[in-house]
Amino acid sequence: MKTWRSQLEHSLRERKSFSRNGMALLLLWPCISLVLGIVLWNKTLGGIEQDHQVLEQTALKNSGALARSYARYVARTIEQMDQITMHVKYDLESTGKPLQLEKMVQSGLFTAPQFSRVFIANRDGLVVSSSTPLNHPLSIADTSYFRFHKNNNSTALRMEQPTVAGGGRGSKTMVEFSRRLEAADESFDGVVVIAVDAVYLLSFYDHLTFGNAGLIALSGADGALRAARVGAAENDLTLVWTIPASDSGVVLEKGEAFADQTARYVGWQAVGSYPFVAIAGLSRQEVFAPYQETWNAYRRFAFVGSVFLFFFAVVAMLLSARLGWRKQQEAQIRASYRIATEGGNDGFYLLQPVHNARQIIIDFVIIDCNERAAIFFGVEKDRLLGARFSARYDPEYFVVVLQSLVMAMRTGFYEDQYEVPPESPLRMKSVRRRMVLTGTHLALTLQDTSYATLHKAELSRVAKQDELTGLSNRSGLMLALPPALALAVNGNRMVAVLVVGLDDFKNVNDAHGHSAGDELLRSAARRLQDLLGPGDLVARLGGDEFALILENLTHDQEANNFAERISQAFHQPFNLAAATVRLTASIGIGVAPRDGADAESLLKNADIAMHSAKSGGKGRFRFYDPQLFEVLRIRLDTEQALMRAIDSDEIQLFYQPRVDTRSGEMRSMEALVRWMRPGHGMVSPLEFIPLAEETGLILRLGEVIIERAFEQLVQWKTQGLPLLPVSINVSARQFSEGNIDRFLAACLKRFAIDPSLIEIEITESATMGDNADTIAELIAIRALGIKLFIDDFGTGYSSLSQLQRLKMDSLKVDRNFTAELCRTTEGEVFFKAIVSMAHALGMTVVAEGVETAQELRVLQMLDCDEVQGYLISRPLPAAAIPALLRQRFLFAIGLESPVLV
Ligand code: C2E
Ligand code: CA
Ligand code: CA
């Protein structure tokens, strides 16, 4: 009780630690994904930030350069004005009279558009000359610049605050440049003024360079604006920004610095020696705009990447959860294995290999064992758990033990039995060892055979021998195989296991009795034994199956050749006391280590290959292929599903009409079975009838089909329909094993159906041979008044006269011959021969598989009695039949162009 509880507790502890590890593994992936996500966003945003900085530097540099160009532009403009005013000044000073500007305009001077107006005022401020006509006397005595020039003897050019000239929509912002005029004694003698349209000063702005939200402005040294343009506003003096005090510079100004709230890179530059400052600015948004799309693309990429990482994390989490779950399962299996072995007489150890630096196994750690295992070593179990296996052994002897353990690791399986030598720590006289590789661990089982060895010699002989044949039996084979496998691995040779199954052995037993069967097995065993070389072994596995071990092979081909020799050995008939019989053998081949490293799986796989060879057509051999296993599994599935289906609604009958060749009148209908298999749809009988025949399920299935056909007739009868016969297919095996005559007789009685309404179809091959039982059964069926049809006629080897002897009523000629009719002339000749011979012997002929009107026409010509085929009708569900029974003549519906009779 105590050990059980401690075992369970141990296994629970184990499970907990697994789930803790599983948890850590589970969180690992989201963490990795999170880190990758952070790196991704960091890189993306970092890249964008870096682009920003580079762009910003460039934009600052550009706005500085623009300010410098603008300053040069302004300087050139002002220089022009400087020259004009200089000219006026010198003219006045040299002539003493003010220049007649009106005349100069007439003579083509001052026509440049930028100079809206040039005029001269005398020392009293009265305009005395003007480039535009004056309608009334004008005085500028009140202007600040006039007073300035009057009181200052500087002759430098002066630029005024802008003024708005005119009103309404045509208003213009003018900037006036003025210069002091002096008399010969250098006393104040008036002012020359040039008014310039501010727009002209701003024409430096072009959209290509400045965009739609750029800025240029001109300000005086006083910091007050003379002209400014911000974006589309041609002349906007509402600029809030104040110019720093230095001569030149660049700066990024936030949106608040401007009325339109647009952040800008601004450069400024003093205009040469003039007291003006030129300002140029670029909108930050416009500078960035072309790159915005790229940055958005970066962000999108990072976003998609993050989504991907998220899903990756989820998937990885799911996968590791599954892995964890599987590990836990393994642990559970291990725990239950141990619990299961506890209490038994065997010592059980789970060993984990210990490798040295060169990956060579040098020792094992006992990671698990049962109580019994500890008793064998004479210690407490706790002392074994976690300890090295070598710790229990004398080092010299351990080398020997280690060898076999390593061998088992390599081959996957090792089994032996020996007298325990004095240097061994095991407390027993003799021991049987069994080692199985499970995953990366080795499961070692020790069995104390001290008492058994007393009668060892006798016991093993009996235990290993097959009594009937004198060959080894399955246990003998299982003892011989592991050493052969081990040797093969060491010597780099292959070992093949050939499983030989006698085909249709059962028939011999049935036909000639069990003693004949035994005799056959003995002589088959002898034939196999005669083929063997030294060291090879043949065993009888039971029933009609044998197995051979071929050692020392270097190539698959050798196994292949051997299989061929076995097949040949079976070519000769077996002369038994009761009869001479012919028999083939199906052979499956497994080659180690490819097809199984241990004895059990090798034998199992060879057996699978043998069964697959058998179902592939008997008398053949086949190498094991992992896919065979899958095929076998599907077959077993189908077999089980079919077994369940037989008595259910899944089995249904379809009916296909058979009609008179000339008139098209319906004569009968063939019942064709269908399996409505859930999840598979409608399964064709071609897929499951052969399986049912092989497995014997056909016996019950055949009865169900017959019953359904009778039931259907009864139903139609009660509906008052004009009845026609139903033709039922019966397999050969139903004849030989099913007592079909008696079953039919019972049905006729039970359902009160007239025997003329039942027809039976059997294939040609089922009627062959001289099996007295089959012939008797056929005669019995006919005696019931049931008609007999030979199905698929032409595919077997029966002679017409043989069929006549069997008193067959009709031949159904296989549809391959129908198909040949219109293809070759031989086709027609052949068919014609069948028809005339059958008629001569009193049998009617049915053509199967009539698909075209042309075929029908030829068959009419050849005097074939009845036809069946898609041309007239496909097999139909029972519900569709009443309509046909009422219609009776079917050519009209089946044919597009009616056949002339
Ligand atoms: P079968 O006895 O020779 O049946 C005739 C097969 O030919 C049917 O296939 C039918 O659908 C098909 N057929 C009919 N007319 C045409 C045609 O014009 N062209 C072509 N290409 N085929 C045509 P189905 O129903 O798949 O049956 C296949 C075989 O399965 C049958 O061959 C028969 O051997 C077996 N089978 C069907 N039902 C039963 C049954 O109830 N019991 C037994 N033991 N075997 C059955
Ligand atoms: Ca048939
Ligand atoms: Ca047929």
Side-chain angles (χ1 to χ4, degrees), residues 156-298:
L157 189 70
R158 196 186 136 100
M159 185 180 182
E160 291 316 306
Q161 301 277 359
T163 53
V164 179
R169 298 183 83 234
S171 70
K172 277 184 173 175
T173 306
M174 302 299 252
V175 181
E176 286 170 330
F177 291 84
S178 57
R179 188 182 279 272
R180 173 184 162 110
L181 299 174
E182 286 176 346
D185 58 355
E186 298 196 352
S187 64
F188 177 68
D189 198 20
V191 184
V192 55
V193 179
I194 303 178
V196 175
D197 187 344
V199 170
Y200 173 71
L201 289 174
L202 298 170
S203 63
F204 184 73
Y205 191 102
D206 84 287
H207 281 273
L208 224 57
T209 320
F210 286 91
N212 292 324
L215 154 74
I216 60 171
L218 191 61
S219 101
D222 52 8
L225 282 183
R226 301 300 191 269
R229 172 170 177 172
V230 182
E234 286 276 306
N235 197 0
D236 178 3
L237 296 179
T238 55
L239 188 68
V240 197
W241 184 63
T242 42
I243 314 153
S246 58
D247 267 3
S248 66
V250 284
V251 74
L252 166 64
E253 278 299 342
K254 297 229 181 67
E256 299 95 74
F258 304 98
D260 60 0
Q261 300 294 318
T262 302
R264 289 188 174 83
Y265 300 99
V266 188
W268 67 93
Q269 174 70 47
V271 182
S273 51
Y274 302 106
F276 307 121
V277 179
I279 301 156
L282 296 169
S283 149
R284 185 170 198 259
Q285 200 200 340
E286 284 184 343
V287 167
F288 285 178
Y291 299 89
Q292 216 65 46
E293 196 33 54
T294 319
W295 293 334
N296 286 344
Y298 286 173

Side-chain angles (χ1 to χ4, degrees), residues 670 672 729 761 791 812 848:
E670 181 174 2
L672 293 160
N729 290 284
E761 300 186 11
D791 206 351
K812 295 187 81 174
E848 291 191 309

